[in-house]
Amino acid sequence: MSGLIAILGALVVAWLILAAIVWFHRPSRALAGPALRLIPDLVRLVRSLLADPSSPRRVKVALAGLLAYLISPIDLIPDFIPILGSMDDVVVAGLVLRWAGRQIGVEPIRAHRSGSAAGFELLRRLLALDA
């Protein structure tokens, strides 16, 4: 019984740590609204990067996990929690894509992203990638 309580306690602590990461990496209010509208574009971008044979395996593994997270109805922070509930997808996607962008460079992301130049600029700012 004490082992089960320890496991549940560890899961709660891990969830709190992940929730704190989401809170500290959330975009500013000026970026939050447009960032939420980017979610469908992010799913297409991730699928496109996964299909690219030049993407490294470690990047593909991270992107596959991200794609599973984005399409899963189970979120790190439930959607009924105001503001953070819907922002967790953007923050998790931003963290994974920021790492992936640093691994593969900006140009492959630019090449695989569909949408306007302004949308790419917003994505570049969210991911803190060099132009």
Side-chain angles (χ1 to χ4, degrees), residues 10-38:
L11 288 173
V12 167
V13 168
W15 181 85
L16 289 172
I17 290 170
L18 289 173
I21 290 170
V22 167
W23 176 260
F24 289 117
H25 286 282
R26 70 189 186 283
S28 67
R29 287 185 184 258
L31 288 176
L36 287 174
R37 291 188 289 275
L38 279 178

Side-chain angles (χ1 to χ4, degrees), residues 40-90:
D41 289 341
L42 291 176
V43 171
R44 285 190 293 275
L45 172 64
V46 169
R47 284 183 24 209
S48 181
L49 287 170
L50 280 171
D52 185 358
S54 67
S55 294
R57 183 180 304 265
R58 66 186 181 278
V59 171
K60 286 186 177 187
V61 169
L63 292 175
L66 173 61
L67 186 61
Y69 181 79
L70 289 175
I71 62 175
S72 170
I74 300 170
D75 284 345
L76 176 63
I77 300 174
D79 287 336
F80 64 83
I81 297 176
I83 301 169
L84 274 183
S86 55
M87 288 304 297
D88 70 326
D89 288 341
V90 171

Side-chain angles (χ1 to χ4, degrees), residues 75-119:
D75 284 345
L76 176 63
I77 300 174
D79 287 336
F80 64 83
I81 297 176
I83 301 169
L84 274 183
S86 55
M87 288 304 297
D88 70 326
D89 288 341
V90 171
V91 172
V92 170
L95 291 173
V96 172
L97 286 173
R98 181 180 297 171
W99 176 82
R102 290 181 178 152
Q103 299 298 309
I104 63 175
V106 176
E107 287 310 313
I109 291 177
R110 184 187 315 267
H112 288 287
R113 187 187 176 288
S114 60
S116 68

